[in-house]
Amino acid sequence: MGMSAASSVSEAMKLCIFDLRRGQHEGQELDKILYFFPADLPFPTQLSVIGLSEGLITFTRIFSPEAPCEVIEAEKHSHIFYEAERDIWMVMVVEKSESEAIWRTAALRSVLKEVHSLFVMFHGSIRALLDREPSGGLTRTHLYYFIMDYLSDFLSGKKLHLPNFRDSLKERGMVQMLTIGREAALEVQSLVRVLESCAGCTQSYSLIMFQDMLVSTTLSPDDLVNLFTYTVMRLTPDALSAGASSWSYLRKGSTTSNASGSLLTSSTSVLNRYYSSRDTSPVGVRSYQVVRPLQHEKWSKGKDGFLVTDIWGTEVGSLSPSSPTIWLKQTEERMYLCAFQHRSLTIILFIPVTSVHNGEQGLSVVKQQILENASSKIIKVEEKLSRGWGGENAYHVSGYRYLLVDGDRYISRASPPGKVTTLTKDSLVAMSKLREEVDLEKSRAKCDGSDCEKDQEICIRAKNGAWVISRLTRGKELYMVLEKANETLLYASEAVEKFSDRYCSGVFSL
């Protein structure tokens, strides 16, 4: 399941998904493979990687039945494990051969978590798909196209750029909130009430974003993270205009519209090669039509302001595109995704499919209600937020390069990427290693069942003289680099205190 050029794209990374419940009998080993990248690797090589991973999982379960291995560090490779669903494992193997190959294993695992969470939001759980069609053909096809489209966001030329030390002041799986004043907040609340009335049902939810930042939502935290991520990847004005993901860790503009296509070269022939190699399907090679929600340049803004796409196909007996749907974790219900955009403001309504009578026709009525009843409020909110917006450097603090993480609320705030790039490699490598230590301490505390929210502070002097600092308290984390700080630790500590008092309400003050 892959592409003929896979090896040239990334020989330094392998990614596989396999099911421990499948392929346990001799001659059926291939059946356990649900996804493998690069897919043009010989099957014996794929089985070797998966066999090693399966052995490590089995061995570590002897000592830790509920939490088997998370990472194995070898001389030339790192093996990152993630049990996405019961007995369904995702494993990433990355080489350590390059000078840039300095990473946090938690950051790489967050990539695995993110792609699985997004997959479930659109397609449901992998286990449910396998139960629905035990041959696994549909599941493999879904996973293949979805993950390849996802990986295209990391592609630059013929090289995949996964999160490394240069991303040590970023955090996946978090939401970035826009700070707004009281007057603007009241206008937003009023708009939310109008949107709920337009939806015409009590079980609808909303998401309002300005630029790439969250303004308001009624979603649960888990659903919010997934939908915020997807919105920034494909739906915000920046994402639509760039034709590529603004959420990518790459520099702006480095991901081209052909990225996904280059990863998917000769996909049909390789999929056929994969299916024809197994005897599990009595009907032979099958062709599956699947929805690809992460495709680039598939969303556009209509004349009425609503975002449209043909990703979900067309209505039966009509040329009109079918409306997008997603699966909400909170309600365990499929919802229509109805997106509207006015300048820098993106508004998304999530409406239960079962509550919309006459399907697409009923959804058109909801859209008309929004245009008639909410347009003036949408314009007003966008104007107020635009006046108060400080631009891409709105959250820059002179002299500081920082990352704030509120793990309980899934919220983060960080120095603008353009400011972080001014840091030296020594500073970024030191921060990456410091965060690796913090991750290790949190993992130990979790395994021991001890208090993982205890206060903690680490200060390191980097090779270049910069101070690299972390402070953790009550589920909140602060990471900071001070390159122009004084020689003394006291000076650096006082600088952190000032930052905490002024921008964090004293949460990190000692």
Side-chain angles (χ1 to χ4, degrees):
M1 295 184 307
M3 55 289 162
S4 59
S7 295
S8 63
V9 172
S10 177
E11 296 180 350
M13 192 273 279
K14 298 180 182 69
L15 173 60
C16 58
I17 303 177
F18 55 92
D19 183 0
L20 292 179
R21 300 180 189 177
R22 303 170 68 92
Q24 295 301 312
H25 300 289
E26 187 176 353
Q28 298 179 359
E29 291 85 358
L30 284 176
D31 195 41
K32 71 179 63 176
I33 305 175
L34 302 179
Y35 174 84
F36 200 99
F37 174 89
D40 61 348
L41 287 179
F43 287 132
T45 303
Q46 296 185 25
L47 287 173
S48 175
V49 173
I50 290 175
L52 173 62
S53 301
E54 190 173 359
L56 290 169
I57 292 167
T58 301
F59 177 73
T60 53
R61 265 194 174 144
I62 297 173
F63 308 98
S64 180
E66 298 303 318
C69 61
E70 294 183 346
V71 60
I72 298 294
E73 294 289 354
E75 182 181 356
K76 295 182 179 180
H77 297 87
S78 292
H79 300 249
I80 294 91
F81 295 78
Y82 174 56
E83 188 174 15
E85 300 173 26
R86 186 64 179 172
D87 292 329
I88 294 177
W89 284 82
M90 303 177 73
V91 179
M92 181 187 292
V93 183
V94 285
E95 289 186 2
K96 300 178 179 179
S97 58
E98 301 180 6
S99 61
E100 299 286 300
I102 302 172
W103 50 69
R104 290 170 50 234
T105 55
L108 295 180
R109 190 179 298 107
S110 70
V111 172
L112 301 180
K113 291 180 179 179
E114 181 175 271
V115 69
H116 175 259
S117 293
L118 291 173
F119 181 88
V120 171
M121 182 176 75
F122 289 109
H123 300 303
S125 71
I126 297 174
R127 181 64 67 198
L129 285 171
L130 290 172
D131 290 343
R132 192 183 313 157
E133 196 216 34
S135 74
L138 177 62
T139 304
R140 293 185 182 94
T141 306
H142 271 305
L143 285 168
Y144 171 74
Y145 285 107
F146 191 87
I147 297 177
M148 301 310 276
D149 287 335
Y150 177 85
L151 289 177
S152 69
D153 281 13
F154 297 91
L155 189 67
S156 179
K158 292 185 177 182
K159 189 177 180 65
L160 284 172
H161 288 266
L162 294 171
N164 62 15
F165 67 91
R166 299 191 184 280
D167 306 298
S168 56
L169 288 178
K170 295 179 182 178
E171 186 74 3
R172 274 183 185 271
M174 294 287 158
V175 172
Q176 287 74 56
M177 293 263 328
L178 180 71
T179 302
I180 59 177
R182 184 176 181 275
E183 186 179 345
L186 292 174
E187 291 290 348
V188 170
Q189 289 177 5
S190 177
L191 172 59
V192 171
R193 287 193 292 269
V194 173
L195 291 173
E196 289 174 346
S197 66
C198 291
C201 69
T202 57
Q203 292 301 313
S204 64
Y205 300 87
S206 64
L207 175 70
I208 300 177
M209 292 183 60
F210 182 82
Q211 302 282 10
D212 289 356
M213 308 196 78
L214 177 67
V215 176
S216 169
T217 188
T218 56
L219 292 164
S220 68
D222 285 341
D223 289 322
L224 170 60
V225 169
N226 290 333
L227 287 159
F228 174 86
T229 301
Y230 182 67
T231 302
V232 175
M233 288 175 75
R234 298 292 183 265
L235 304 183
T236 62
D238 282 348
L240 293 180
S241 63
S245 169
S246 56
W247 180 251
S248 171
Y249 275 79
L250 308 180
R251 294 184 301 275
K252 187 175 181 181
S254 62
T255 304
T256 68
S257 59
N258 295 321
S260 183
S262 66
L263 282 176
L264 290 164
T265 301
S266 304
S267 59
T268 302
S269 62
V270 180
L271 280 167
N272 288 344
R273 163 183 167 263
Y274 185 82
Y275 295 133
S276 62
S277 68
R278 51 203 338 112
D279 300 319
T280 54
S281 176
V283 296
V285 178
R286 296 180 59 178
S287 177
Y288 297 93
Q289 297 297 319
V290 297
V291 172
R292 293 173 57 190
L294 295 187
Q295 276 184 288
H296 286 280
E297 297 186 7
K298 282 295 185 176
W299 284 89
S300 60
K301 183 179 176 181
K303 293 181 179 179
D304 58 1
F306 286 97
L307 303 187
V308 294
T309 180
D310 62 357
I311 288 175
W312 277 259
T314 57
E315 297 179 60
V316 178
S318 170
L319 296 177
S320 301
S322 298
S323 295
T325 59
I326 54 98
W327 183 265
L328 273 194
K329 188 174 182 179
Q330 179 180 3
T331 61
E332 297 185 344
E333 193 172 7
R334 187 153 289 280
M335 314 285 282
Y336 282 118
L337 186 157
C338 181
F340 180 87
Q341 201 167 87
H342 173 65
R343 294 182 179 174
S344 299
L345 196 68
T346 303
I347 298 169
I348 306 179
L349 264 182
F350 305 96
I351 307 168
V353 171
T354 54
S355 71
V356 179
H357 303 294
N358 300 321
E360 298 293 336
Q361 188 175 357
L363 204 59
S364 296
V365 173
V366 173
K367 291 180 178 180
Q368 189 60 38
Q369 288 286 317
I370 293 173
L371 292 174
E372 292 177 358
N373 301 320
S375 291
S376 60
K377 288 188 176 295
I378 290 172
I379 293 171
K380 191 173 183 180
V381 167
E382 200 279 336
E383 288 177 348
K384 282 188 175 295
L385 296 180
S386 293
R387 284 199 299 268
W389 173 236
E392 62 181 15
N393 290 328
Y395 297 110
H396 170 58
V397 180
S398 180
Y400 295 86
R401 301 295 182 268
Y402 69 92
L403 168 66
L404 282 166
V405 177
D406 187 337
D408 295 334
R409 299 167 61 204
Y410 297 96
I411 293 174
S412 70
R413 176 167 294 170
S415 293
K419 298 297 182 180
V420 175
T421 57
T422 65
L423 293 175
T424 65
K425 180 178 179 179
D426 285 341
S427 296
L428 291 168
V429 169
M431 174 54 74
S432 181
K433 292 180 177 179
L434 181 148
R435 293 201 64 191
E436 189 78 45
E437 285 296 319
V438 173
D439 294 337
L440 185 59
E441 285 298 319
K442 289 194 293 185
S443 180
R444 285 171 179 163
K446 183 178 178 181
C447 291
D448 296 341
S450 58
D451 182 11
C452 58
E453 292 190 359
K454 64 180 180 180
D455 292 355
Q456 179 186 117
E457 180 180 23
I458 303 175
C459 296
I460 296 176
R461 196 75 187 271
K463 291 180 180 179
N464 61 342
W467 286 105
V468 181
I469 302 165
S470 71
R471 284 192 184 181
L472 281 67
T473 179
R474 299 187 294 278
K476 297 178 175 60
E477 303 171 26
L478 170 64
Y479 301 96
M480 185 174 292
V481 177
L482 302 171
E483 280 196 336
K484 297 181 180 180
N486 192 281
E487 292 289 325
T488 67
L489 177 59
L490 177 61
Y491 180 94
S493 181
E494 288 177 348
V496 176
E497 293 287 325
K498 290 178 182 177
F499 183 93
S500 174
D501 291 340
R502 184 168 182 180
Y503 301 103
C504 310
S505 302
V507 170
F508 298 99
S509 298
L510 299 177

